[in-house]
Amino acid sequence: MCGIVGAVGARNIVPILVEGLKRLEYRGYDSCGVAVHQDGALRRSRSTSRVAELDVQVAADAVQGTTGIAHTRWATHGAPAVHNAHPHFSSGPGADAARPARIALVHNGIIENHDDLRAELQARGYVFASQTDTEVIAHLIDSLYDGDLFDAVQQATQRLKGAYAIAVFCRDEPHRVVGAREGSPLILGVGQGESFLASDAMALAGVTDQIVYLEEGDVVDLQLGKHWIVARNVTTGRHERVQREVRTVHAHTGAAELGPYRHYMQKEIFEQPRAIADTLEGVQGIVPELFGDGAHRVFKEIDSVLILACGTSYYAGCTAKYWLESIAQIPTQVEVASEYRYRDSVPNPKTLVV
Ligand code: GLU
């Protein structure tokens, strides 16, 4: 799971972007990058090293700006290499390498129809600089851009099939970042005269605790201290303005910091006794305490549980299966989510899917 941070501020936001990436490092990544609006142009710095190296690189290159986006990538399409690292740029159709970029974009997820979209955009003259599925989104938004980035992103999302959280900005609109999500997480951070985007609230700890959890299909327009959200109406397919609750979230950074450990897997291993003790604190082995307040009600309505997870959460799911079957007596299956996604399954309405 990669990480996204975006910001529109009145100060240099590069330190906030890089610090946000450091707090998202625990998710794992193979490359990272940052792009800003600087002196009327788009500038970026990308690296296949750690975020700490990117930090040194942006300082050496004097990358600064009040509007920008940043990303840690976990490659799905295209090798982990600098030219595939995000942010991706679009300079419009044509192969003129000297032409300044107009659109900068970061993406978390997978675009399933990237081949069709790439062929369509290539036929219109767009030249691709990477092997990623992500670059098609940057060119698609550029092809739809007519002076209003929010509008172009809303149109572009209607052509995308797959999972995405994106953050995008445009050379011609220096104080605006647009975000959208479908199937990948994205939150909005409301600051004092500033606005932020991130994959989770922890990335913005110390920056703002005023958080909006964006919902599936939301597109968000971030400007200086202002934001607008539109949601896709499932019946008409059109976007309509919505209000989402702003919550106060006290994300503590300790959980995301590496501390004395060499890497995050070592940290997870050594923190297990504490994590299990915290989880079980006060539990007397009774279903509601162990599985949550609503457990009795939910368990009455279901006849099985299906847990979909990847990596470490898959192993956590396997432990949950032992508990659900031995304590709650509910048949439980655990499946690797990335496999489940690509096979046909027969849904049972009485299965609780976690
Ligand atoms: N599919 C995109 C890529 O390979 C994004 C991967 C990610 O979520 O980091 O570049």
Side-chain angles (χ1 to χ4, degrees), residues 12 21 29 33 53 69 118 122 143 157-158 166 172 204 208 222 228 245 265 280 288 290 315 330 334 342:
N12 175 24
L21 289 188
Y29 63 105
E53 265 85 37
I69 55 178
R118 186 180 297 104
Q122 278 170 333
S143 73
T157 55
Q158 292 175 15
I166 57 171
D172 303 342
L204 300 180
T208 179
L222 272 68
W228 290 267
E245 185 191 350
M265 187 182 284
L280 296 181
L290 189 55
Y315 299 120
I330 301 173
V334 191
Y342 291 106

Side-chain angles (χ1 to χ4, degrees), residues 200-211:
D200 67 30
M202 204 146 57
L204 300 180
V207 177
T208 179
D209 59 4
Q210 298 299 295
I211 303 294

Side-chain angles (χ1 to χ4, degrees), residues 1-4 28-31 71-79 84-86 88 106-111 130-135 137 163 165 184:
M1 211 177 14
C2 81
I4 286 178
Y29 63 105
D30 52 55
S31 52
H71 187 260
T72 45
R73 176 178 187 233
W74 194 323
T76 63
H77 295 64
N84 285 330
H86 304 204
H88 288 285
V106 292
H107 162 227
N108 167 209
I110 292 173
I111 301 304
S130 78
Q131 283 78 49
T132 62
D133 51 337
T134 300
E135 195 181 352
I137 321 175
S184 298

Side-chain angles (χ1 to χ4, degrees), residues 50-67:
R50 314 306 296 167
V51 176
E53 265 85 37
L54 181 71
D55 200 3
V56 173
Q57 198 173 306
V58 292
D61 297 347
V63 175
Q64 292 177 7
T66 56
T67 298

